[in-house]
Amino acid sequence: MVEEESSRTLAPVESKLGEGEVCVEEESEEDSAGLKHATDVASPGRDKVEQHRVTHYPYRSWCKQCVMGRGVGKPHATVTGESSVPIVGMDYFFMTKEGLRRRDELAKDLNDESDEAIIQARSKGEVVKCLLVRCFKSKNIFAHVVPQKGDDEDHYCAKLAAGDIEWLGHTKIILKTDNERAVVALKHRVATHRNEWTSLDNVQNERLAAYESQSNGGTGVGVKIVRGLFRTLKLCLEERLGKYVPVDHALMPWLLNHACILLD
């Protein structure tokens, strides 16, 4: 009985003062619940910091290189209508002193969309060409520095992509690229190697509609994911060395591949 009376006194009370006038009595301050706040988080110890700097994975907000390299974070989108056959996307991207760039992003950086501008930047050692292979089902990512786009005489790029796909262990796959001629030629070359893969029974090529490069967005997401960790590792390395490491240095192909291994 006492509890019922006390609960009634805590609730707002309305009393009529006159026609059309209502007075509301609020709860007293002493009866309101206190606000909760997060406790202070202590800075990580030196041993923990050094252990994290080996891989910089996963992301840590207290790490300067993590914040500089991938402070925005990775988006988590819900995938609907997933194909029963694993889809493997392939695309080219570029390594510059600002980080990893897709073709459209590089054109904005150079203020020139022509292939001649990219060729000149490559000859100066300012741009390095790379290949990305990503399985949409397992989320495995592979990236390699390559000498050129398309199918070369020795089929070097195709062999790299073929090795990555074989490592995935799928029995059937769908190869997906945009409509750029160089990557389409590479896709067809990779598909011709299917008879050499004992673990692969069937390879299908998915052709996108004209001007629908955004349909290969899963590969673009892979470039963004690799870009963040790669930049983080490069920044940390440069801070420890006390000097800038150019993108055409022999260490960069290893660092790019290392970033993908950490993400897998």
Side-chain angles (χ1 to χ4, degrees), residues 4-258:
E4 293 181 359
E5 292 179 356
S6 61
S7 62
R8 291 173 184 172
T9 59
L10 292 177
V13 179
E14 297 182 0
S15 60
K16 296 184 178 179
L17 300 179
E19 186 176 357
E21 298 182 358
V22 177
C23 176
V24 179
E25 297 179 5
E26 301 290 346
E27 298 180 7
S28 61
E29 294 183 359
E30 60 182 5
D31 295 327
S32 60
L35 297 176
K36 296 181 180 181
H37 59 87
T39 58
D40 294 335
V41 180
S43 300
R46 179 164 183 166
D47 293 341
K48 187 175 181 179
V49 171
E50 288 300 319
Q51 184 179 5
H52 171 73
R53 292 178 76 177
V54 174
T55 62
H56 286 277
Y57 191 82
Y59 171 86
R60 290 290 180 260
S61 59
W62 44 259
C63 175
K64 181 177 70 174
Q65 286 79 30
C66 280
V67 174
M68 293 174 64
R70 48 191 174 137
V72 176
K74 297 185 294 183
H76 297 276
T78 301
V79 179
T80 58
E82 185 177 354
S83 172
S84 58
V85 179
I87 298 176
V88 177
M90 297 190 302
D91 202 359
Y92 290 105
F93 64 98
F94 301 88
M95 186 187 300
T96 71
K97 64 180 180 180
E98 286 82 15
L100 304 183
R101 294 287 186 268
R102 299 193 304 271
R103 178 66 172 79
D104 57 336
E105 296 172 334
L106 181 61
K108 293 180 180 179
D109 291 345
L110 299 176
N111 295 320
D112 193 339
E113 297 183 359
S114 64
D115 292 335
E116 289 75 11
I118 298 178
I119 294 174
Q120 292 180 3
R122 288 187 62 205
S123 63
K124 296 178 182 178
E126 299 174 352
V127 174
V128 176
K129 195 169 298 182
C130 306
L131 171 68
L132 182 127
V133 179
R134 184 181 188 228
C135 177
F136 295 2
K137 184 174 183 178
S138 65
K139 309 304 181 185
N140 288 103
I141 302 177
F142 308 89
H144 311 277
V145 173
V146 295
Q148 67 180 60
K149 297 173 70 173
D151 185 27
D152 53 279
E153 289 184 358
D154 298 328
H155 310 307
Y156 176 73
C157 297
K159 291 177 180 177
L160 287 175
D164 296 336
I165 296 171
E166 186 176 11
W167 182 90
L168 292 171
H170 298 311
T171 57
K172 294 183 179 181
I173 62 166
I174 297 176
L175 289 179
K176 187 173 184 178
T177 64
D178 58 24
N179 291 321
E180 186 183 0
R181 287 187 298 175
V183 72
V184 169
L186 176 65
K187 176 175 64 174
H188 289 304
R189 170 55 60 182
V190 172
T192 59
H193 286 284
R194 64 183 182 270
N195 293 330
E196 301 177 12
W197 301 340
T198 57
S199 61
L200 202 61
D201 298 329
N202 188 21
V203 179
Q204 304 175 23
N205 286 325
E206 180 172 337
R207 182 179 179 83
L208 303 182
Y211 310 108
E212 288 292 333
S213 60
Q214 294 301 322
S215 299
N216 199 27
T219 309
V221 171
V223 175
K224 291 182 179 181
I225 294 174
V226 176
R227 171 165 52 197
L229 184 56
F230 174 81
R231 186 166 184 262
T232 300
L233 295 172
K234 188 172 183 290
L235 287 170
C236 183
L237 175 65
E238 290 172 344
E239 181 175 300
R240 292 198 171 207
L241 295 176
K243 60 189 302 184
Y244 169 75
V245 181
V247 294
D248 59 345
H249 193 278
L251 182 62
M252 291 299 99
W254 175 88
L255 190 63
L256 178 62
N257 187 258
H258 179 62

